[in-house]
């Protein structure tokens, strides 16, 4: 406890860094992944914008990138990170890598959420003269909203996990804090309290996600 | 809605639709030509897989034909780019077996959707939505969500949504097939009202003979992608000339006994068995009976029934005939002479 009293600012900074990484990644990955996931869904042969070539490219790219373990991914894209962020350490660099990796994960979650939509409602929209872009925004997203929110909540938890890994690789945040001030100094209370904070962040996210999904699904 | 002059609203000319499936080429619609006039209710009946659903989707260009031409109103759909087809679709309503309502929208939101697509402002949308919900009797459910409605109510919402943009044509794809008989009757009555009061031409796709019998003026029978028989409902179903049409008739009207029924009848009846088609002749039963008694032929009624189609009698009566063979032949010849069709069951 003495440690926290004398290092409150470091701890608060670490929480701030984690929240920063998580929020930036969920927003950026959320938007990129949504676009990619919608692409996977609409270009699939037989679907709204059925196009085998585009679908195959998207599908292969996602299948190549997504299974790469995050600790390897973050190291592998360091040249790109340097180009874009200017550095490979710190929360900005970590947020960049996180956003990219999470976007691919989000794309599959989005695709799965959309697969659950009854094709009949898409046909109904086409039958009243709606075009593909309108259908994406006024049918696909609203009709898939419940599963989408649950999927994003799932990804949120994953991003908190990934942000801790990024932290150890120089990203800062709670993962870095727990290792640098906790386990490496055999200061177990620091580790446990940090874990507790992460658990609270995850719980709050899960709670908010469930509540929103319930509202969207009217259950 | 009866008009002296019949103007064609929908015209299909030699339309085929072929799908390339992993199992090979499959012809869903095979060289179909069909004309539907303004103000008519036309039924297309056939078993699942006969190509009805594909056919109806060719009419609002949800599917494009492999060959042939499709005209709706003044437009040739088969000559238009996708963007123009969207405008055409705004003028054609469609309702579905599974209703296909947007779960994420309220009843009012569902009905307003086509108006939104058509670019109407909020005030106009609200006014039109209220008017439509009033027409289908669901004004009090405007703010409900689809899952809070019964099947019949859902289809009424579907009808309101399909009528939102004042279409001249309504396509009903198995619209009553997911409903119980009573609700089916309500929805069919509503469709009849849409036709009569709003002058909307309706094409009804169904495998239910009852739906055709209740509202259609004309019917086309589809089998394996082709229209095998078509004409006024009474003509097609009082004298079906194809096996497909005959099977539908048998599903609701008493027609000739099926081979299974005939086998059972044979076990109890030793005489010759003949089926007489019910004809619109005054004193029909008396005429038939006197033809037999006149030749001293004992005629036992063993199967059949008389029903009504478009306020005219239809059906068939199967008799066991006992007596001298030559006299039975003479009695049957007498029926033919009186304009009554019969067939001897073997």
């Amino acid at each position: 406890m003495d440690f926290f009293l004398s290092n409150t600012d470091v701890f608060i900074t670490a929480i701030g860094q984690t929240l920063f990484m998580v929020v930036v990644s969920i927003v950026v990955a959320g938007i990129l992944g949504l676009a990619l996931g919608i692409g996977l869904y609409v270009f699939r042969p037989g679907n709204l914008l059925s196009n085998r070539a585009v679908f195959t490219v998207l599908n292969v790219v996602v299948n190549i990138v997504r299974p790469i373990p995050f600790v390897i991914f973050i190291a592998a894209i360091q040249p790109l990170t340097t180009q874009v962020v200017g550095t490979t350490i710190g929360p900005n660099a970590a947020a960049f890598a996180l956003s990219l990796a999470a976007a691919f994960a989000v794309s599959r979650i989005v695709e799965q959420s959309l697969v659950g939509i009854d094709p009949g409602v898409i046909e109904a929209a086409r039958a009243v003269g709606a075009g593909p872009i309108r259908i994406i925004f006024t049918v696909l997203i609203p009709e898939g909203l419940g599963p989408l929110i649950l999927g994003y909540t799932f990804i949120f938890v994953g991003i908190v996990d990934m942000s801790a890994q990024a932290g150890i690789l120089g990203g800062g945040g709670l993962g870095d804090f727990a290792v640098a001030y906790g386990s490496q100094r055999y200061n177990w209370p620091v580790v446990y309290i940090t874990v507790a904070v992460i658990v609270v962040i995850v719980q709050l996210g899960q709670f908010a996600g469930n509540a929103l999904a319930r509202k969207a699904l009217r259950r | 809605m009866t008009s002296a002059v019949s103007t064609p609203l929908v015209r299909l000319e030699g339309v085929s639709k072929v799908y390339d499936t992993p199992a090979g080429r499959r012809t869903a619609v095979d060289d179909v030509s069909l004309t539907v006039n303004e103000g008519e209710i036309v039924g297309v009946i056939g078993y699942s897989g006969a190509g009805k659903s594909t056919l109806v989707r060719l009419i609002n260009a949800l599917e494009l034909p492999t060959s042939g031409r499709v005209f709706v109103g003044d437009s040739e759909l088969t000559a238009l780019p996708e963007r123009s087809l969207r405008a055409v679709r705004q003028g054609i309503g469609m309702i579905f077996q599974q209703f296909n309502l947007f779960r994420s929208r309220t009843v009012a939101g569902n009905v307003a959707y086509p108006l939104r697509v058509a670019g109407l402002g909020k005030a106009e949308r609200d006014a039109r939505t209220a008017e439509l919900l009033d027409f289908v009797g669901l004004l009090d459910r405007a703010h409900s969500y689809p899952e809070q409605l019964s099947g019949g109510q859902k289809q009424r919402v579907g009808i309101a949504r399909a009528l939102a943009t004042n279409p001249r044509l309504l396509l009903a794809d198995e619209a009553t097939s997911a409903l119980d008989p009573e609700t089916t009757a309500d929805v069919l009555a509503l469709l009849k009202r849409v036709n009569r009061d709003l002058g909307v031409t309706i094409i009804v796709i169904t495998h239910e003979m009852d739906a055709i019998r209740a509202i259609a003026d004309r019917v086309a029978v589809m089998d394996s992608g082709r229209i095998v028989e078509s004409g006024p409902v009474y003509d097609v179903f009082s004298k079906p000339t194809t096996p497909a049409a005959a099977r539908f008739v048998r599903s609701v009207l008493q027609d000739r006994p099926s081979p299974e029924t005939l086998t059972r009848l044979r076990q109890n009846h030793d005489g010759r068995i003949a089926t007489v088609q019910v004809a619109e002749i005054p004193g029909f039963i008396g005429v038939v009976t006197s033809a037999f008694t006149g030749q001293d032929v004992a005629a036992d009624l063993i199967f059949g029934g008389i029903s009504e189609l478009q306020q005219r009698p239809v059906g068939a009566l199967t008799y066991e005939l006992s007596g001298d063979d030559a006299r039975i032949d003479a009695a049957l010849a007498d029926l033919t002479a009186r304009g009554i069709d019969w067939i001897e069951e073997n």
Side-chain angles (χ1 to χ4, degrees):
Chain A
M1 270 304 122
D2 295 348
F3 174 84
F4 280 103
L5 293 174
S6 49
N7 291 279
T8 315
D9 50 340
V10 182
F11 189 56
I12 299 289
T13 304
I15 294 177
Q17 286 173 335
T18 288
L19 290 178
F20 168 79
M21 287 187 283
V22 169
V23 170
V24 167
S25 326
I26 195 88
V27 171
V28 176
I31 293 167
L32 289 178
L34 186 66
L36 201 50
I38 288 173
L40 285 167
Y41 178 80
V42 297
F43 290 119
R44 182 178 283 273
N47 280 6
L48 196 55
L49 292 171
S50 180
N51 185 322
R52 191 174 297 276
V54 176
F55 171 76
T56 306
V57 169
L58 289 179
N59 199 32
V60 167
V61 168
V62 172
N63 279 346
I64 290 174
V65 176
R66 205 171 63 97
I68 302 173
F70 182 61
V71 278
I72 296 169
F73 181 84
I74 198 169
I77 63 154
Q78 276 184 355
L80 183 63
T81 310
T82 313
Q83 289 278 314
V84 177
V85 189
T87 172
T88 58
I89 56 167
N92 287 341
F96 174 75
L98 270 170
S99 302
L100 217 52
F104 287 92
V106 169
S107 69
R108 283 292 179 213
I109 297 277
V110 169
E111 187 194 15
Q112 278 171 27
S113 305
L114 299 182
V115 165
I117 297 173
D118 174 9
V121 298
I122 298 164
E123 185 171 53
R126 289 185 62 213
V128 300
I133 302 294
R134 183 190 291 273
I135 290 176
I136 288 170
F137 287 101
T138 62
V139 179
L140 289 185
I141 295 177
E143 293 289 307
L145 195 59
L148 279 173
I149 293 171
L150 290 175
Y152 274 90
T153 309
F154 179 81
I155 290 291
F156 168 82
V157 176
I159 288 177
V160 172
D161 168 24
M162 280 154 61
S163 79
Q165 297 180 45
I168 297 166
L169 294 173
L174 287 168
D176 184 28
F177 182 84
V179 173
Y181 293 90
S183 60
Q184 282 178 2
R185 299 181 186 184
Y186 303 104
N187 190 345
W188 300 109
V190 167
V191 176
Y192 296 145
I193 288 169
T194 311
V195 167
V197 171
I198 289 177
V199 168
V200 168
I201 292 173
V202 168
Q203 288 295 329
L204 288 176
Q206 187 72 49
F207 180 77
N210 287 351
L212 285 171
R214 246 198 321 277
K215 198 165 153 56
L217 293 167
R218 295 186 301 280
R219 281 187 189 135
Chain B
M1 194 65 194
T2 45
S3 61
V5 190
S6 49
T7 354
L9 179 60
V10 177
R11 218 165 76 240
L12 305 184
E13 289 180 357
V15 172
S16 295
K17 176 71 182 181
V18 181
Y19 291 103
D20 282 315
T21 67
R25 289 165 72 77
R26 197 176 63 80
T27 305
V29 173
D30 191 1
D31 191 24
V32 165
S33 295
L34 177 72
T35 302
V36 176
N37 293 323
E38 195 103 45
E40 270 190 310
I41 301 184
V42 171
V44 178
I45 194 166
Y47 290 100
S48 328
K52 313 180 298 287
S53 285
T54 306
L55 183 74
V56 77
R57 280 161 180 76
L58 293 169
I59 297 170
N60 63 355
L62 285 179
E63 302 269 3
L64 296 175
T66 314
S67 60
R69 306 205 294 171
V70 178
F71 298 86
V72 175
D74 306 325
S75 330
E76 182 186 346
L77 270 51
T78 31
L80 291 176
E82 169 65 21
R83 194 168 283 278
S84 315
L85 289 177
R86 283 182 219 155
V88 172
R89 287 190 201 115
Q90 285 182 21
I92 304 174
M94 186 170 189
I95 56 175
F96 307 86
Q97 178 168 10
Q98 296 304 329
F99 324 121
N100 295 352
L101 300 181
F102 304 116
R103 294 197 42 179
S104 56
R105 295 174 196 276
T106 59
V107 164
N110 268 279
V111 176
Y113 187 80
L115 302 170
R116 206 180 266 273
V117 173
L120 265 69
K122 184 168 165 36
E124 282 173 290
R125 285 202 308 264
D126 289 351
R128 178 79 183 128
T129 302
E131 190 185 328
L132 286 156
L133 287 177
D134 189 37
F135 180 76
V136 300
L138 284 174
L139 200 49
D140 56 328
R141 303 308 300 267
H143 303 294
S144 302
Y145 280 91
E147 75 263 19
Q148 297 165 319
L149 305 180
S150 68
Q153 290 173 326
K154 283 181 193 166
Q155 196 56 290
R156 275 145 71 191
V157 175
I159 291 170
R161 181 176 66 179
L163 295 176
T165 51
N166 279 315
R168 288 156 74 194
L169 176 65
L170 177 65
L171 307 175
D173 182 19
E174 297 280 5
T176 56
S177 302
L179 305 174
D180 62 58
E182 202 172 320
T183 316
T184 293
D186 290 347
V187 168
L188 290 173
L190 176 58
L191 289 178
K192 191 95 196 172
R193 197 152 63 88
V194 166
N195 173 254
R196 204 186 44 225
D197 298 355
L198 308 178
V200 177
T201 306
I202 304 181
I203 299 179
V204 179
I205 300 293
T206 185
H207 67 272
E208 295 174 321
M209 184 57 200
D210 271 327
I212 300 288
R213 175 152 79 143
I215 61 170
D217 304 312
R218 287 197 304 135
V219 64
V221 181
M222 259 191 114
D223 193 23
S224 309
R226 292 173 162 274
I227 290 185
V228 293
E229 209 167 330
S230 72
V233 172
Y234 183 83
D235 294 358
V236 170
F237 289 116
S238 60
K239 284 181 187 169
T241 57
T242 56
R247 270 180 307 188
F248 279 111
V249 172
R250 199 173 295 145
S251 71
V252 283
L253 308 173
Q254 291 295 351
D255 190 55
R256 290 176 60 190
S258 65
E260 297 76 32
T261 306
L262 202 57
T263 306
R264 279 193 297 277
L265 291 174
R266 287 248 179 263
Q267 289 167 1
N268 300 322
H269 304 282
D270 301 328
R272 291 167 64 178
I273 295 179
T275 299
V276 177
Q277 285 290 327
V278 172
E280 210 178 7
I281 296 174
F284 172 75
I285 296 286
V287 171
V288 173
T289 310
S290 65
F292 291 128
T293 50
Q295 294 291 343
D296 274 338
V297 170
D300 247 358
L301 183 54
I302 56 176
F303 186 84
I306 301 176
S307 182
E308 199 181 40
L309 189 62
Q310 300 198 318
Q311 293 91 47
R312 297 162 72 182
V314 282
L317 302 173
T318 302
Y319 290 92
E320 179 198 18
L321 306 173
S322 326
D324 181 61
D325 266 346
R327 304 202 96 182
I328 291 176
D329 290 337
L332 291 171
D334 189 22
L335 286 180
T336 308
R338 293 168 192 259
I340 296 169
D341 286 340
W342 56 269
I343 186 158
E344 182 151 8
E345 308 288 356
N346 293 309

